[in-house]
Amino acid sequence: MRMTPQRQLVLDALLELEHATPEQVCQHVQRSTPTVNITTVYRTLELLESLGVVRHTHLGHGAPNYSVHEHKHVHLVCHRCDRVLEVPCEVMDDLRGTLGARFGFALDASHLALSGMCETCQEEIR
C-alpha cells in the first residue's frame, strides 16, 4: 500500500493524540488540511487497521477509539464519570492463565476496556 498524504495525516494525528475517535482525528487533521473529510478518515482508519498499523476499542457507548498498534494497555472505564485509566497488560496475567487452563482460550489483553466504577465515584456513593 502506498502512503498517501491523507493516510500519513491520519496516522500522525493518532500518534499525537494516542487515543481518538474518528471525529477527533478528523478535527485534528483539518487544522492543517481542511479539505480532508470524515469519510476519508473512516476509510483510512479501516485500511490502517486491516494492515495491523492501528487498532480500535470501545470505551463505552459511542464511537470506537483508535490508537497505534504498539500502544498496549488495559482501559478501566468508569461508567459513572467516564474517567478512563490505563493500566499495564500484566494486570490480566492471572485471568489469562485461568482462561487458558480452564477453557483453552488465549486472551489478548493488549487493548481491552473493562467497565466498572473508579475509586473516586465509589467513595462519593458511600
Side-chain angles (χ1 to χ4, degrees), residues 35-52:
T35 56
V36 174
N37 62 40
I38 191 69
T39 303
T40 299
V41 170
Y42 270 103
R43 287 182 182 152
T44 301
L45 289 170
E46 288 176 10
L47 173 67
L48 293 173
E49 187 167 29
S50 72
L51 295 172

Side-chain angles (χ1 to χ4, degrees), residues 11 25 29 31 36 49 51 71 74 77 79 87 102 115:
L11 184 57
V25 171
V29 168
R31 289 183 199 150
V36 174
E49 187 167 29
L51 295 172
H71 196 73
V74 176
V77 183
H79 55 74
V87 298
R102 290 184 61 192
S115 179

Side-chain angles (χ1 to χ4, degrees), residues 59 74-78 82-87 91-92 112-116 118:
L59 299 180
V74 176
H75 298 97
L76 305 179
V77 183
C78 180
D82 295 325
R83 182 176 176 205
V84 179
L85 299 171
E86 295 178 1
V87 298
V91 301
M92 302 301 291
L112 179 69
L114 299 172
S115 179
C118 71

